[in-house]
């Protein structure tokens, strides 16, 4: 990729560090033309530098730089600007389909008569394999070894495909399975705070920025790296050199004061911030943290807060680099020259936070005193539903009959478990998992969990026998410091043996429960619960057999494994009885902040990071023995593969796009409510044998035991389109009282799966639309939620509001996102699914224009409603006209060639 533009403002300067010269694009020099930049939020300074560096008079203009500089005047802007990140981060669930798309693009460009080598990443791409390991085995000494073996047995074809990609594409690196979770690997190793590139004999320095194909990419905001999650299709466009236009965002400043009190953790803090910012409403906005508390807030705690930006709805949750960041870079083994360059560069650019830095201005500000934070949980269905720990049992009792559907007279029901000497009831905790980069990147909460285990073990306590316990560290460094602290043995003794280095339970890879437990739960309609140190707890995500899921700190995960239920107040009731017959309470095993800090200080070493990450590319023996695919520049697709298939996005592609036209006489495929997540639209977890995807796999001679998960099958569009809207908990209002991905074909009224109904409409050449409520598409940056929507034949999604990433993904796949005006919903319009929908005005589509919807009811009457077109930028109009961003980029390559 071209390193710089034409520098019309003459801001390029040289910066000398340790006798080496770096070319930088100086904000101080730009201020002489653009005006005072000192109080611009640091996150916007980074956007400004990006424009200055690539300014070329066309895609990047001086006017774009001026618009960012002028933001301080009104602290808001309606101007869109381009952004091109320094690098791309992927995980394997999203990375495999991205590489599939790139391979398909190579076939597409050859079909158009172009050069296959034009389809190559132009910026560095790192793909970390972390999403495929499952907790098939837990609570045993050989759990890790057995889970890794099963992982490679299931995923050898996918992994071989990625190894082909590593050889076939430039600037593409794969981090083998077993290294850790992508965001923790990014935080501890890949991220640099200041990036460098050597181009045409000259070294350039600029802010480290990235797009990630996972919504929790924001975790690295905690060390001052600006980045956020995008869909795979948007990331593919960015890696191929396409600048992505974005509206200059509002920036919400969150002032932090004080210190965390005794007993509170970073997890409690982030759950509180998530609740606070969801209530404020920060969707589509940047959040930037400031205030005196940052002087003492470790980077690990900042990363925990930044990680959950998707849960509080923000594009990012940014912490500027300061002295503590530099300490963290040293602690984690970064190059010492790079650390000095980071400080020198950021000070020169006015981006280094210290006492001399002017306080930025923000669109709006909020404040939080860390001294008010109390131990918390969040659940049972959403991460923003925080509850004080002392109130958790009462809150669950209310949810049991209010939101979880248990009749009052059945609340106390308990049933025997076959072959066991215990029974099971509503609220019993059947999964307790220390999981997820949110918390496993934070030594303080991991050491706290180990100390809880140590004290419980010393007193003779053990988890309840119905609880499946697991520990999945986010990097191998975690194992090192737990071993060094002597805590691994204590965690092992309580069943928290390491099960794998990956996301596991947090993304739904919790593995099977014991069959007698499943029979008791499913046969009696029990509301089983999980407690996990994750970032997401949406219904149907964690386990198909668990309906209530609670986010908690790692030490609380251990404590709830001991208690075994959500229905008792964990702050007052005994967790168990000691070996000498005494009741043991939470306060008896909870470590002090001083104990935790002392053990972290003595067990965490720079040498551990240097050693582990110095060997990161080696992989396990299974990886080293994996058969390497050939090095052909085009992939040799296997028609019989159930993991990797050539997707249909470029079939029949012509050099020029067709025009856009009105959507006429569309049928409604689904009427959906509020808070529909990308997990609802495109689940990542288990595939039911009776589902369309399960039947497809069985028809292709795949045994049920080898189905793997939807996430692992994302390289096969045949599986994924059948899995779209297949979440076991989704409710389509067209078929009241039914859970699962069902719909109704009209006019005959036949009820079938959404996939089967969509296929009937496809055969009849009938376009489709979907209606939703508030925050449609919240959750993971899951491009298959948009890809599957497109492949079902859905032309438009009409909702009260969209989550940022999913709206962008829909546009990127050529699907029209539309929103109702204030006060209008599917319910006020009286929609029941029997209507036909016409959307007018699409021939001359423009950003955020008015679209007229005509509703033709079954009785022949009609009504109209105005809708807002949520194609937000001129570039997005181009993507829509081309049928999606990838056809747009491919045609652009042909034009450039």
């Amino acid at each position: 990729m071209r390193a710089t533009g034409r520098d019309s403002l003459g801001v390029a300067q040289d910066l000398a560090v340790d006798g080496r010269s770096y070319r930088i694009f100086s904000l101080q020099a730009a201020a002489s033309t653009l005006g005072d930049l000192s109080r611009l939020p640091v996150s916007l300074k980074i956007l400004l530098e990006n424009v200055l560096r690539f300014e070329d008079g066309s895609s990047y203009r001086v006017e774009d730089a001026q618009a960012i500089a002028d933001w301080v005047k009104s602290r808001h802007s309606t101007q869109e600007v381009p952004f091109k990140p320094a690098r791309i981060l992927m995980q394997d669930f999203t990375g495999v389909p991205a590489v599939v798309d790139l391979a398909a693009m190579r076939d597409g460009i050859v079909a158009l008569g172009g050069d296959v080598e034009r389809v190559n990443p132009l910026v560095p791409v790192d793909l970390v394999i972390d999403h495929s390991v499952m907790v098939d085995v837990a609570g045993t000494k050989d759990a890790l070894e057995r889970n890794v073996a099963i992982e490679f047995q299931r995923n050898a074809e996918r992994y071989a495909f990625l190894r082909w990609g590593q050889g076939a594409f430039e600037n593409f690196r794969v981090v083998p399975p077993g290294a850790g979770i992508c965001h923790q690997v990014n935080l501890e190793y890949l991220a640099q705070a200041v990036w460098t590139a050597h181009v045409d004999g000259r070294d350039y320095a600029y802010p480290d920025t990235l797009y990630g194909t996972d919504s929790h990419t924001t975790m690295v905001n905690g060390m001052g790296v600006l980045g956020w999650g995008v869909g795979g299709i948007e990331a593919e466009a960015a890696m191929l050199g396409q600048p992505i236009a974005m509206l200059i965002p509002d920036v919400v400043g969150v002032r932090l004061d004080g210190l965390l009190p005794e007993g509170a953790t970073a997890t409690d803090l982030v759950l509180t911030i998530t609740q606070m910012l969801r209530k404020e409403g920060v969707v589509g906005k940047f959040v930037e943290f400031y205030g005196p508390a940052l002087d003492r807030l470790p980077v690990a705690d900042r990363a925990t807060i930044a990680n959950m930006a998707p849960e509080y709805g923000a594009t990012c949750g940014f912490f500027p680099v300061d002295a503590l960041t530099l300490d963290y870079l040293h602690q984690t083994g970064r190059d010492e020259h790079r650390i000095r360059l980071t400080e020198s560069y950021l000070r020169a650019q006015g981006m280094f936070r210290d006492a001399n830095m002017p306080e930025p201005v923000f669109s709006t500000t909020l404040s939080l005193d860390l001294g008010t934070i109390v131990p918390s949980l969040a659940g049972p269905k959403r991460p923003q539903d925080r509850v004080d720990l002392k109130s958790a049992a009462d809150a669950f009792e209310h949810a049991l009959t209010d939101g979880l559907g248990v009749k009052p007279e059945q609340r106390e029901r308990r049933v025997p478990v076959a072959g066991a000497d215990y029974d099971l009831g509503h609220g019993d905790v059947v999964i307790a998992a220390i999981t997820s980069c949110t918390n496993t990147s934070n030594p303080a909460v991991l050491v706290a969990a180990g100390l809880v285990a140590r004290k419980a073990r010393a007193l003779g306590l053990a988890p309840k026998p119905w609880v499946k316990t697991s520990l999945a560290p986010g990097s191998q460094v975690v194992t090192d410091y737990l071993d060094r602290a002597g805590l691994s043995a204590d965690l092992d003794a309580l069943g928290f043996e390491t099960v794998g280095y990956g996301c596991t339970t947090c993304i739904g890879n919790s593995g099977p429960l014991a069959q007698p437990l499943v029979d008791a739960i499913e046969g009696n309609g029990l509301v089983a619960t999980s407690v996990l140190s994750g970032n997401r707890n949406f219904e149907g995500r964690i386990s198909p057999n668990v309906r209530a899921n609670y986010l908690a700190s790692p030490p609380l995960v251990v404590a709830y494994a001991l208690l075994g239920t959500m229905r008792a107040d964990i702050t007052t009731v005994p967790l168990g009885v000691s070996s000498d017959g005494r009741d043991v309470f939470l306060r008896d095993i909870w470590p002090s902040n001083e104990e935790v800090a002392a053990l972290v200080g003595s067990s965490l070493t720079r040498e551990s990071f240097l050693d582990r990450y110095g060997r990161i590319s080696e992989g396990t023996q299974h990886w080293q023995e994996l058969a390497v695919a050939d090095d052909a520049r085009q992939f040799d697709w296997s028609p019989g593969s159930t993991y990797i298939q050539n997707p249909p996005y470029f079939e029949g592609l012509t050099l020029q796009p067709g025009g856009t036209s009105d959507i006429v006489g569309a049928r409604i495929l689904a009427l959906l409510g509020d808070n529909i997540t990308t997990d609802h639209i495109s689940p990542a977890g288990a595939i039911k044998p009776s589902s369309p995807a399960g039947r497809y796999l069985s028809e292709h001679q795949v045994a049920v035991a080898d189905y793997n998960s939807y996430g692992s099958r994302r390289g096969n569009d045949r599986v994924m389109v059948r899995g779209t809207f297949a979440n076991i908990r989704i409710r389509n209002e067209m078929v009241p009282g039914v859970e699962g991905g069902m719909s109704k074909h009209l006019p005959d009224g036949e009820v079938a799966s959404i996939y089967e109904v969509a296929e009937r409409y496809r055969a009849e050449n009938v376009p489709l639309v979907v209606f939703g409520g508030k925050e449609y598409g919240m959750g993971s940056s899951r491009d298959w939620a948009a890809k599957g929507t497109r492949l079902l034949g859905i032309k438009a999604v009409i909702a009260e509001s969209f989550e940022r990433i999913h709206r962008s993904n829909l546009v990127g796949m050529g699907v029209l996102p539309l929103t109702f005006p204030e006060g209008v919903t599917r319910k006020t319009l009286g929609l029941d699914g029997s209507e036909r929908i016409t959307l007018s005005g699409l021939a001359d589509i423009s950003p955020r224009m008015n679209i007229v919807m005509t509703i033709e009811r079954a009785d022949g009457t009609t009504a109209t409603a105005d809708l807002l077109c949520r194609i937000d930028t001129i570039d997005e109009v181009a993507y829509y006209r081309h049928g999606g961003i990838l056809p747009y980029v491919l045609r652009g390559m042909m034009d450039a060639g």
Side-chain angles (χ1 to χ4, degrees):
M1 179 181 290
R2 185 182 71 251
T4 65
R6 63 186 187 183
D7 190 22
S8 298
L9 296 182
V11 300
Q13 297 182 351
D14 291 324
L15 175 71
V17 179
D18 295 342
R20 294 178 60 179
S21 179
Y22 294 90
R23 198 71 166 163
I24 72 170
F25 290 79
S26 169
L27 299 191
Q28 184 177 0
S32 63
T33 301
L34 302 178
D36 181 22
L37 304 173
S38 63
R39 300 195 67 194
L40 198 65
V42 175
S43 52
L44 293 190
K45 289 180 180 179
I46 294 172
L47 294 188
L48 175 57
E49 188 279 341
N50 196 268
V51 171
L52 293 173
R53 179 159 34 97
F54 289 114
E55 182 267 315
D56 58 7
S58 56
S59 296
Y60 290 80
R61 305 169 305 150
V62 172
E63 291 89 337
D64 298 325
Q66 190 65 63
I68 298 174
D70 289 345
W71 181 93
V72 294
K73 296 176 181 177
S74 62
R75 307 177 190 187
H76 175 76
S77 178
T78 58
Q79 178 82 29
E80 62 182 67
V81 295
F83 180 69
K84 193 179 293 185
R87 59 192 176 93
I88 305 293
L89 176 70
M90 293 183 166
Q91 37 90 341
D92 56 300
F93 271 17
T94 52
V96 167
V99 179
V100 166
D101 290 350
L102 291 177
M105 288 183 77
R106 283 194 165 178
D107 290 354
I109 202 167
V110 169
L112 291 175
D115 180 6
V116 69
E117 291 298 332
R118 295 192 68 83
V119 182
N120 259 315
L122 299 178
V123 298
V125 179
D126 287 296
L127 189 155
V128 181
I129 300 176
D130 65 354
H131 270 52
S132 295
V133 63
M134 301 179 72
V135 190
D136 289 286
V137 182
T140 66
K141 293 185 180 300
D142 61 351
L144 174 61
E145 179 182 348
R146 291 168 64 187
N147 286 330
V148 168
I150 295 169
E151 174 190 4
F152 274 85
Q153 178 185 347
R154 287 185 179 131
N155 296 287
E157 183 181 352
R158 296 171 64 239
Y159 292 173
F161 175 67
L162 291 177
R163 293 194 67 167
W164 168 82
Q166 184 168 239
F169 295 106
E170 299 172 4
N171 292 318
F172 181 70
R173 175 172 59 172
V174 176
V175 176
I181 302 173
C182 66
H183 306 304
Q184 189 162 341
V185 172
N186 191 26
L187 185 76
E188 295 178 350
Y189 175 64
L190 298 174
Q192 297 297 323
V194 170
W195 204 255
T196 61
H198 187 77
V199 181
D200 297 332
R202 172 170 278 176
D203 289 325
Y204 291 86
Y206 45 92
D208 182 4
T209 57
L210 76 156
Y211 285 154
T213 58
D214 187 283
S215 51
H216 296 101
T217 300
T218 55
M219 181 169 175
V220 79
N221 298 165
M223 60 172 279
V225 174
L226 184 63
W228 54 87
V230 299
I233 47 182
E234 199 170 8
E236 291 160 37
M239 74 174 69
L240 294 170
Q242 177 69 25
I244 306 298
M246 59 183 293
L247 292 170
I248 302 173
D250 286 359
V251 183
V252 177
V254 178
R255 178 186 170 97
L256 301 179
D257 294 280
L259 287 169
L260 285 175
E262 192 67 40
T265 68
T267 314
D268 305 316
L269 173 58
V270 72
L271 295 180
T272 302
I273 289 174
T274 298
Q275 181 185 49
M276 179 178 77
L277 291 181
R278 266 293 169 184
K279 183 177 180 180
E280 172 69 17
V282 296
V283 172
K285 301 175 182 179
F286 282 10
V287 168
E288 186 165 316
F289 294 90
Y290 71 109
L294 270 60
D295 294 338
R296 298 172 298 277
L297 191 67
V299 167
D301 289 3
R302 301 178 191 186
T304 295
I305 295 167
N307 177 280
M308 288 189 70
E311 282 65 53
Y312 44 83
T315 302
C316 64
F318 185 77
F319 289 82
V321 172
D322 60 12
L324 290 182
T325 316
L326 300 180
D327 291 343
Y328 181 81
L329 292 172
H330 173 77
Q331 174 78 70
T332 51
R334 265 56 172 224
D335 176 72
E336 295 291 353
H337 171 75
R338 181 64 66 93
I339 296 172
R340 289 190 291 274
L341 170 62
T342 295
E343 181 173 9
S344 297
Y345 174 86
L346 294 176
R347 287 191 183 279
Q349 295 285 52
M351 298 179 186
F352 191 87
R353 192 194 79 85
D354 62 14
N356 298 318
M357 182 182 186
E359 186 171 288
V361 296
F362 298 105
S363 304
T364 187
T365 59
L366 303 170
S367 62
L368 177 65
D369 180 355
L370 273 56
T372 65
I373 302 301
V374 297
S376 304
L377 300 176
K381 295 181 180 181
R382 301 188 306 174
Q384 64 263 40
D385 294 334
R386 188 197 67 84
V387 60
D388 291 356
L389 184 63
K390 64 183 179 182
S391 305
D394 289 341
F396 180 80
E397 291 298 324
H398 176 75
L400 193 58
T401 53
D402 186 43
L404 295 169
V406 174
K407 295 178 181 179
E409 63 271 18
Q410 296 180 341
R411 294 161 65 103
E412 304 306 323
R413 185 182 187 193
R414 299 194 67 83
V415 299
V417 176
D421 59 357
Y422 56 83
D423 56 14
L424 205 67
H426 295 301
D428 283 353
V429 175
V430 296
I431 294 175
I434 301 174
T435 177
S436 172
C437 51
T438 308
N439 285 291
T440 65
S441 62
N442 193 316
V445 292
L446 266 295
V447 166
L451 286 170
V452 168
R454 172 174 291 175
K455 296 182 180 193
R457 179 190 183 193
L459 291 168
L461 270 59
K464 296 299 185 286
W466 54 83
V467 184
K468 181 178 183 177
T469 50
S470 63
L471 166 63
S475 78
Q476 294 185 3
V477 172
V478 175
T479 298
D480 288 346
Y481 68 70
L482 289 177
D483 284 349
R484 196 171 290 112
L487 295 174
S488 293
D490 299 303
L491 288 161
D492 290 352
L494 265 63
F496 286 93
E497 282 95 348
T498 296
V499 294
Y501 294 94
C503 301
T504 62
T505 301
C506 186
I507 58 156
N509 286 356
S510 56
L513 296 175
Q515 192 57 47
L517 282 179
V518 174
D519 293 342
I521 293 166
E522 300 299 331
N524 297 278
L526 296 181
V527 176
T529 67
S530 73
V531 181
L532 65 149
S533 62
N535 46 48
R536 295 248 164 95
N537 56 346
F538 303 133
E539 56 182 341
R541 177 183 177 95
I542 304 305
S543 165
N545 311 119
V546 177
R547 294 180 57 195
N549 304 289
Y550 285 86
L551 306 181
S553 65
L556 279 179
V557 171
V558 177
Y560 269 103
L562 301 172
L563 182 62
T565 180
M566 280 300 304
R567 300 190 69 180
D569 181 357
I570 197 170
T571 67
T572 60
V573 303
L575 302 181
V577 178
S578 68
S579 51
D580 61 0
R582 293 183 294 110
D583 286 342
V584 178
F585 296 88
L586 183 62
R587 60 180 178 270
D588 299 325
I589 60 172
W590 197 264
S592 69
N593 293 356
E594 185 178 358
E595 284 179 273
V596 171
L599 206 47
V600 169
S602 64
S603 59
L604 191 64
T605 68
R606 173 178 168 87
E607 289 69 31
S608 180
F609 289 94
L610 288 168
D611 174 56
R612 289 295 189 176
Y613 286 111
R615 297 181 283 121
I616 192 171
S617 62
E618 295 177 5
T620 63
Q621 184 176 348
H622 293 85
W623 177 260
Q624 294 167 8
E625 295 173 351
L626 193 66
V628 180
D630 63 58
D631 60 357
R633 311 315 286 168
Q634 287 180 259
F635 186 68
D636 184 15
W637 308 96
S638 170
S641 173
T642 57
Y643 275 107
I644 307 294
Q645 285 292 335
N646 193 348
Y649 312 133
F650 308 108
E651 289 179 0
L653 189 72
T654 58
L655 285 172
Q656 297 299 322
T660 57
S661 59
D662 293 347
I663 299 168
V664 179
R667 283 292 187 182
I668 301 172
L669 187 61
L671 286 172
L672 304 171
D674 295 341
N675 302 312
I676 293 298
T677 70
T678 51
D679 279 293
H680 286 120
I681 304 167
S682 184
I687 301 171
K688 291 181 66 173
S690 61
S691 69
R695 293 198 299 271
Y696 168 88
L697 291 172
S698 293
E699 289 164 4
H700 287 75
Q701 288 74 54
V702 178
V704 173
D706 296 325
Y707 277 5
N708 213 330
S709 64
Y710 281 112
S712 68
R713 297 279 178 181
R714 287 180 186 160
N716 185 343
D717 61 281
R718 284 76 158 169
V719 173
M720 296 309 296
V721 69
R722 288 168 169 81
T724 305
F725 295 107
N727 185 290
I728 58 174
R729 302 298 179 204
I730 196 170
R731 299 169 188 85
N732 184 352
E733 294 168 1
M734 294 175 63
V735 282
V738 176
E739 279 191 331
M742 305 298 288
S743 187
K744 182 187 297 182
H745 180 270
L746 293 168
D748 59 33
E750 182 179 339
V751 174
S753 72
I754 282 180
Y755 170 75
E756 291 165 320
V757 171
E759 284 299 290
R760 287 191 61 184
Y761 282 130
R762 186 194 309 279
E764 297 163 0
N765 202 29
V766 175
L768 301 173
V769 297
V770 165
F771 285 88
K774 297 182 180 70
E775 298 182 346
Y776 184 90
M778 65 187 295
S780 301
S781 58
R782 190 160 295 169
D783 58 336
W784 258 110
K787 288 178 175 177
T789 297
R790 163 75 180 273
L791 294 181
L792 284 175
I794 296 165
K795 304 298 184 183
V797 178
I798 304 152
E800 293 174 55
S801 64
F802 287 95
E803 199 78 344
R804 174 187 63 86
I805 298 175
H806 187 59
R807 183 209 63 81
S808 175
N809 282 346
L810 289 173
V811 177
M813 286 307 299
V815 178
L816 184 64
L818 303 167
T819 53
F820 295 110
E822 188 70 28
V824 178
T825 70
R826 70 197 185 284
K827 292 186 176 180
T828 65
L829 293 172
L831 300 180
D832 61 14
S834 64
E835 301 82 1
R836 282 186 175 269
I837 304 296
T838 294
L839 301 169
S840 305
L842 302 184
D844 298 312
I845 196 164
S846 60
R848 301 183 72 85
M849 69 179 288
N850 182 71
I851 299 290
V852 176
M853 177 174 66
T854 302
I855 303 166
E856 181 185 348
R857 304 188 190 279
D859 63 5
T861 61
T862 62
T864 61
D866 290 337
L867 303 174
L868 176 66
C869 173
R870 286 303 315 276
I871 293 178
D872 288 351
T873 69
I874 294 295
D875 282 349
E876 287 186 343
V877 170
Y879 303 156
Y880 182 71
R881 289 189 181 278
H882 280 259
I885 193 170
L886 297 183
Y888 171 84
V889 171
L890 193 59
R891 291 185 176 113
M893 289 177 178
M894 291 300 298
D895 291 342

